[in-house]
Amino acid sequence: MSYNSTLDGFCGSKFWDSNLTWYTDSPELTPCFQKTVLIWIPCLYLWVTALFDMYYILHSKERNIPWNLLNISKLAITCLLIVVKFVDLGVTVHNSSQDDSIVYNADYYSPIIKIFTFGLSATLLYYNRKFGMRASGVLFFFWLLLILAGLPQLRSEVIRHYQMEDDENVKYNFISYMVYYPLIVLMFILNCFADLPPKDTPYKYEKNQCPESASGFPSRLTFSWFDPLALTGFRRSLTDNDLWALNPPDSSIEVVPRFDKFWERSLMKREDSNGTKATYSKTSASVNFKPESEKQPASILPALCLAFGGQFLFGALLKLINDTLMFLSPQILKLLIGFVEGNEPDWKGYLYAIALLACATIQTLLLAHYFTRMYLVGMRIRTALTSAIYRKSLRMSNSARKESTVGEIVNLMAVDAQRFIELTAYLNMIWSAPLQIALALYFLWGILGPSVLAGLAVMIILIPVNGLIANRVKTLQIKQMKYKDERVKLMNEVLNGIKVLKMYAWEPSFEDQVLKIRNKEMNVLKQTAYLNSATSFIWSCAPFLVTFLTFFTYVVSVDNNKLTATNTFVSISLFYTIHLPLGLLPLVVVSAIETSVGIKRLNKFMNSDELDDSAVEHDPKEPNPLLIENGHFSWGAKDSDPVLKNINLHIPRGSLVAIVGAVGSGKSSLLSALLGEMNKVSGRVNTHGSIAYVPQQAWIQNATLQDNILFGKPLDKHKYNNVISVCALKTDFDMLPGGDQTEIGEKGINLSGGQKQRVSLARAVYYDADNYFLDDPLSAVDSHVGKHIFDKVIGPNGLLKSKSRVWVTHNVSYLAQTDLVIVLRDGEVSEAGTYQQLLEKKGAFAEFLLHHLSDAERTSPEELNEIKQDLETKLGSEFHNKLQRARSLSESNSESDQTAAGDRAGSVKRRTPDDVTQNELKEKNKLIETEKTETGSVKWGVYKHYLMSVGVLASVVTVLMNLVLQVFQVGSNYWLAEWSNDETMIVNGTVDTNKRDMYLGVYGGLGIGQAISSFFADLMPYLACWRASRYIHALLLDNVLKAPLQFFEVTPVGRILSRFSKDIDVVDTLLPSQCSDVIYCAFEVLGTLFVISYSTPIFLAVIVPIGVVYYVIQRFYVATSRQLKRLESVSRSPIYSHFGESITGASTIRAYGVTQRFIKESERGVDHNQSCYYPSCIANRWLAVRLEMIGNLIIFFAAVLAVLGRETINPGLVGLSISYALQITQTLNWLVRMTSEVETNIVAVERIKEYAETEQEAAWTIAGSGPGSTWPETGALQLERLSLGYRAGEPALRDLTCAVPPRDKLAIVGRTGAGKSTLTLGLFRIVEAMSGKILIDGIDISTIGLHQLRSRITIIPQDPVLFSGTLRMNLDPFEAYTDEQLWRSLEHAHLKNFVKGLPSGLLHEISEGGENLSVGQRQLVCLARALLRKTPLLVLDEATAAVDLETDELIQKTIRSEFASCTVLTIAHRLNTIMDSTRVMVLDKGQLVEYAPPEQLLQDKNSIFYSMAKDAGLVN
């Protein structure tokens, strides 16, 4: 050959000699080959791969690793090597100058090449140190290659030294090589360790740094740096403190800006491409932009690709190398079978065995690192998206926000962003699968010729079939997602309104609604199960059909074709390599489609309208800090009707402006307009200075009270205490067990309305802004507290006197002290001016005042007289008649702080002594119990619970079917081995066709059995698990609804919801497939071990130690992995609850301008979650590397044993056993992964089980003992020595005894925390009596079912709760009343006209939480509910907050007329509503102190009632 001759000349000797190397018992390489190829390969490798190191060096952000022993010795040895090579070169030159010896080029080139290469390696060493790279893979592999390539020469030098001791040259070469070789071995060893950390780094580490960077390269290759964590996890349960900090490149700080850069670019592009195609119309003189809907949304995909594509491509490269290596094993197998058949020297057999091992090991490492890379990319994508979604949700406009519920937006983050992680790992299959298939076919063609086409045809036919099934599954999944969303949304409302549901006894209706949706969902899942089994059936048929048809065609087409061991088993192992990519391809396509649906949802969300930042200008030159000129504003889209029209507003600095008007006149909207929350249709808004905002419904975070008030500002003790005292929170704090360190539940669940509003106000005051927007902050507080707050905070002498204040109010008495009063009517300013000016006008304002005049009667008489005189002078004589009328209807606020948090959070303890530390305090009064993370292995009880739900029979049948399936599979392959070994097939040079047909027939029969059993083996577990998940959900739902109310107070809604969404989803979709996989894999492993042991029985000796190692690794892994998964899921819920909280409080967050802080908090949460997720990815790889090494050892032993037993074993069995062994690595890995997945996901069952076993309240109905259907006829009420209390502790009410005759109107009064609300809770048995009893109509209520009780009493609760659904459903969820009755109740509740005006009337859709009705209207809907039920006993928990006086009057009037014949218990917050009641019950500190008609109590000047009335200004 030509290249031989050129190289022969180059070396001066023969380059390649097959007789010397291959056909011999003692192989050797020619000296020429050693001097050229073996030297060039490592050196070439380094020059090429140095580019990778260059890339890392250029991109590194760290600098300067200190000089130390390790890197100095590396550099020194490299220099030594260069010296050695220079000496070699000198000797060569010296030799060439001697006449008698000829020196060839090769002898010059090899030292020169090495000198340069070592020089390069020294340079890399130096720069790696300078740029902070602690371990270089490139150099590690370079030294490894040098060692391997130097082995043949080492052998030759030693042999030559012994043969020709006297030759000078030989002596020198030997000594020089003996110096050189140990040095490269030493270099290799040094390269196994990592350098010290760099001195200059931009990253800060909060907790222990990830050991990955500190570990050497071999440790990184095999993930050994994970060992300590695995060990810790095995010894004890892992906690947050055991985890490492995220690697800086994966944290939000690095990832988010990177994504943002490209996303901004996409948005710019979108603006350009959609170029504002505007049309200008003369008539209306306005520019019409192209409607939003036609714009092409910007996609997040390109931005993601650009930001994270580089990492992904590197991973793809690893995958490519791995795919090519896959086809090496079958080729080696071919050689090995040939070796067993023939009689080559033994060393070749061992070479093949080692080659199999090496090939498999390299594949293992490549795949492991490929997956690590991919998961990292997935993690980064998730971090970027989560952050992007979070920031977008804080910028969304109101119309966009209304399009999707909080639940749906949280789902984007929880589900769609999560999908990316799952997809990235498999996305490369889209190109890798076709590549693998093509390569396999190429090799198969070489073995079997055109017969391959028959098998290929089957595959091609099956792909569209699978496509169809996959598509169908896809639509089903979308359907299931839709139902799941619906179900979770409904659950969310049920849980938020649980108190009302319990009081109305409405749970069964809502339970039915949830189950209805659930049933639809289950039907979809059932169809999916059938389809999945069909797919699996096709997949287990496919490989068999393919092999069968191929062999069939092969033996039938040409008569003399005979199956031999070689072509049979090499083909089978090649077909097996095709099997996986073919199976994965459709799944990946489906998953990609799913993700693309997710991307569409994300795009829609990311492109939705944002609030227009430019709507509000911030021009500091304006004289007035707040101004609106000709403002028209709308909620919703640009073209909807404006809610506010012709607004002109100039608010001077430091003035107090009151905004008054009836309900729905647009007062709150006006504040929103100033904040930039509304769509500005036209006009101009300008504000300058910082802003603090107190919304109408206080937004309280789930944090301590102090954190809620500080709101991110540093604590200034003096200022803080001052704020607390002016906002009248001091006493409340003293009553709370933990003072201001008390943790507040979600949405402030353990504070009363008044407390929430005061905390919200305190937050604003502490914030110390320039402008204050106060949306009726005094509505929910007692009148004396209100006065205190007005004087000390809002009023002209208050803390805020120098600030500009815009104050929406229903409170007339303070109007005289304001600088400007603005009267709104139907979204327009009907009048504006000072108090005096408006009175002069005798217009809308005077009417408004008259209406509410007597509201002022409780302020000091002089003031009152002033107002009276003002009006009298303006209105004359009609004044008196009007005033009389107004007074009779009048209201007066006296006491409103419904429950103090004191009686809600256990008995009222005084502040604990000062020596208790803050932290102890915090621990003591955490209302919300921390989420339990179960530790240790999952209890056997959980499996038992799940298996019982699945059913014993189903479990047994599943196992049996899998056993049958394996028997068929092994059988058909064994039959092939028999067939290929049959020497008698060929008779006189032709094939015996009868025998051939017999073999074919049996083979076909076995295959059909295999296909059928596979269908059932797959369907059974799916159906069984389906049944289980149906049962589990029903149980959970039933038990949660039956839990007592206390349970919901200590458990955040998010946590219960995650049981219904995340955990049920796991049980629905993940567990079935994982269970079926575990069973299938287990049997496959058993099958493989059986086959190998059968062909080489000595293998049984190897099984035991390997099995032990396998088990140990599996236990280590499962323990650690499960804990990591648990930590990860616990750290995930705070992200979502913080997200949900931020969406609800978005307007407050924006108003205060603290968006950045919240974004940072969210990112911190995500980083914490990722730092739990990353180790669990690594754990999987750690496991994979170790398990696959075990699998590789099995292959190695199978091969070595075959070589040892070559005399006794037939080639067919060798083929069978090794082709099976080649499959075992994947299966073993998969088996452990799946068992641990099942163990991890069964946690979902465990968490559901925990909530399905919460303590239950009493039975809903007690059969047989219930009261008659007409009970209670009269509504007479008796309390006998009743004591009530929350949880364990002192009772909140002690020894109450009294009787309320039928039709009485009883008013219950008392200061905050006296136990008024506790009494109503006791009536409804929300709180069970500690002792004593309550009788209604003579029946002890503790003897009847809860629903029998609750459905016969009516309550009008303090906070109106509505559910999303129709108005009709909100009034009558059981559909027990006719439309006529509904209309009548609406009429009495003064809602008839409103509902008539709605386009869909009674079927008007109410949005989540009743957002689309005003608070007053919601209150009236609650009144309508009560009117509809009209029971003889009515409890009225007086609504104090948010109801303006008109609505309140309506309610009072209706109650007086409609419930005249009922017993009414009123929990009064304002005394003059109850002056006409028949009796008053005065409670104080949980005891009944006075019980008499009001007139009688007023006679007694010492009574508590008298002093309260005096405070309220009802007696002079």
Side-chain angles (χ1 to χ4, degrees), residues 788-799:
H788 170 88
I789 290 179
F790 183 81
D791 294 341
K792 291 274 196 280
V793 183
I794 304 172
N797 305 318
L799 204 54

Side-chain angles (χ1 to χ4, degrees), residues 328-339 352 356 566 569-574 1214-1220 1222:
L328 205 52
S329 309
Q331 302 310 312
I332 302 173
L333 174 62
K334 185 175 173 178
L335 294 168
L336 192 63
I337 296 176
F339 166 82
Y352 296 147
L356 273 175
T566 322
F569 289 104
V570 175
S571 319
I572 282 189
S573 65
L574 281 168
V1214 172
L1216 181 66
S1217 91
I1218 293 179
S1219 63
Y1220 255 88
L1222 284 174

Side-chain angles (χ1 to χ4, degrees), residues 1305 1452 1456 1471-1479 1494-1495:
K1305 307 286 175 275
Q1452 291 295 341
R1456 291 203 179 108
L1471 289 191
N1472 52 350
T1473 51
I1474 54 141
M1475 281 309 189
D1476 58 349
S1477 50
T1478 43
R1479 272 167 207 242
E1495 308 77 62

Side-chain angles (χ1 to χ4, degrees), residues 149 566 616 659 836 976 1055 1265 1499:
T566 322
V616 179
I659 300 177
Q836 287 301 334
L976 276 180
R1055 202 178 293 165
S1265 73
Q1499 302 303 312

Side-chain angles (χ1 to χ4, degrees), residues 415-724:
V415 182
D416 296 326
Q418 191 64 30
R419 281 241 172 89
F420 277 96
I421 291 195
E422 284 141 26
L423 179 71
T424 43
Y426 296 100
L427 192 57
N428 281 306
M429 285 310 281
I430 287 183
W431 60 263
S432 149
L435 172 79
Q436 289 178 33
I437 294 168
L439 279 171
L441 289 175
Y442 167 75
F443 288 116
L444 278 166
W445 185 279
I447 301 170
L448 300 174
S451 322
V452 175
L453 295 175
L456 181 64
V458 177
M459 293 184 180
I460 291 176
I461 290 167
L462 286 181
I463 285 181
V465 174
N466 262 324
L468 283 174
I469 294 184
N471 233 336
R472 182 84 192 96
V473 170
K474 174 88 213 38
T475 48
L476 287 177
Q477 254 165 343
I478 290 180
K479 246 178 156 165
Q480 190 220 338
M481 279 295 295
K482 197 183 92 200
Y483 291 139
K484 184 181 140 198
D485 278 357
E486 261 180 58
R487 191 186 84 231
V488 172
K489 182 179 151 201
L490 184 60
M491 277 313 300
N492 184 19
E493 297 199 46
V494 167
L495 295 174
N496 280 325
I498 190 82
K499 186 170 178 181
V500 173
L501 286 187
K502 285 200 174 302
M503 288 187 161
Y504 286 142
W506 275 3
E507 302 105 323
S509 156
F510 280 84
E511 187 172 4
D512 287 346
Q513 286 185 39
V514 174
L515 288 176
K516 248 191 216 129
I517 303 177
R518 176 69 179 164
N519 285 337
K520 289 186 198 161
E521 199 182 359
M522 291 315 286
N523 285 338
V524 171
L525 283 169
K526 193 170 194 171
Q527 287 169 293
T528 320
Y530 279 109
L531 286 174
N532 279 337
S533 314
T535 329
S536 129
F537 165 69
I538 290 176
W539 279 123
S540 62
C541 275
F544 171 77
L545 262 177
V546 171
T547 40
F548 176 70
L549 279 175
T550 309
F551 290 152
F552 177 78
T553 328
Y554 179 66
V555 292
V556 174
S557 58
V558 181
D559 275 351
N560 281 351
N561 280 355
K562 171 184 179 309
L563 282 184
T564 61
T566 322
N567 55 23
T568 309
F569 289 104
V570 175
S571 319
I572 282 189
S573 65
L574 281 168
F575 275 129
Y576 183 76
T577 45
I578 300 189
H579 185 196
L580 193 69
L582 262 184
L584 277 178
L585 193 56
L587 297 181
V588 173
V589 173
V590 169
S591 174
I593 295 172
E594 267 180 29
T595 310
S596 74
V597 171
I599 290 182
K600 278 205 192 91
R601 285 165 54 155
L602 282 166
N603 285 344
K604 181 178 167 223
F605 177 76
M606 294 296 293
N607 286 290
S608 57
D609 286 348
E610 298 189 4
L611 285 174
D612 184 3
D613 290 337
S614 59
V616 179
E617 298 160 27
H618 302 288
D619 177 7
K621 296 194 192 63
E622 284 288 338
N624 296 334
L626 307 175
L627 127 155
I628 303 182
E629 290 173 350
N630 306 323
H632 289 69
F633 302 92
S634 70
W635 289 111
K638 289 269 186 288
D639 43 8
S640 56
D641 296 337
V643 180
L644 296 175
K645 304 177 274 288
N646 305 327
I647 304 284
N648 284 296
L649 201 56
H650 294 267
I651 296 176
R653 179 166 286 109
S655 60
L656 170 55
V657 179
I659 300 177
V660 296
V663 168
S665 58
K667 300 185 296 294
S668 299
S669 299
L670 184 59
L671 291 188
S672 300
L674 278 166
L675 287 170
E677 297 279 320
M678 293 183 76
N679 267 332
K680 185 174 72 175
V681 182
S682 62
R684 170 165 176 262
V685 184
N686 189 73
T687 67
H688 59 89
S690 57
I691 288 176
Y693 170 55
V694 181
Q696 190 170 8
Q697 289 189 309
W699 175 68
I700 304 287
Q701 283 180 279
N702 183 357
T704 63
L705 270 171
Q706 189 178 48
D707 295 342
N708 264 300
I709 294 173
L710 297 181
F711 207 51
K713 290 260 187 197
L715 173 64
D716 167 349
K717 207 68 191 139
H718 177 68
K719 175 173 158 192
Y720 176 72
N721 289 337
N722 187 23
V723 169
I724 288 176

Side-chain angles (χ1 to χ4, degrees), residues 709 723-724 727 729 757-767:
I709 294 173
V723 169
I724 288 176
C727 291
L729 281 166
Q757 276 203 314
R758 296 205 301 275
V759 169
S760 177
L761 182 65
R763 172 193 302 161
V765 177
Y766 189 84
Y767 197 77

Side-chain angles (χ1 to χ4, degrees), residues 224-278:
S224 306
W225 53 270
F226 184 79
D227 291 350
L229 193 68
L231 198 62
T232 315
F234 179 67
R235 288 203 187 120
R236 61 175 172 81
S237 291
L238 293 174
T239 61
D240 276 348
N241 304 330
D242 298 319
L243 302 178
W244 320 297
L246 261 190
N247 288 329
D250 303 325
S251 61
S252 302
I253 305 173
E254 295 267 312
V255 172
V256 174
R258 206 156 115 205
F259 170 73
D260 274 3
K261 187 170 75 188
F262 294 108
W263 173 238
E264 290 302 316
R265 243 180 251 173
S266 304
L267 286 178
M268 301 300 291
K269 266 212 195 94
R270 168 192 170 198
E271 290 306 312
D272 299 347
S273 69
N274 287 328
T276 37
K277 300 193 177 59

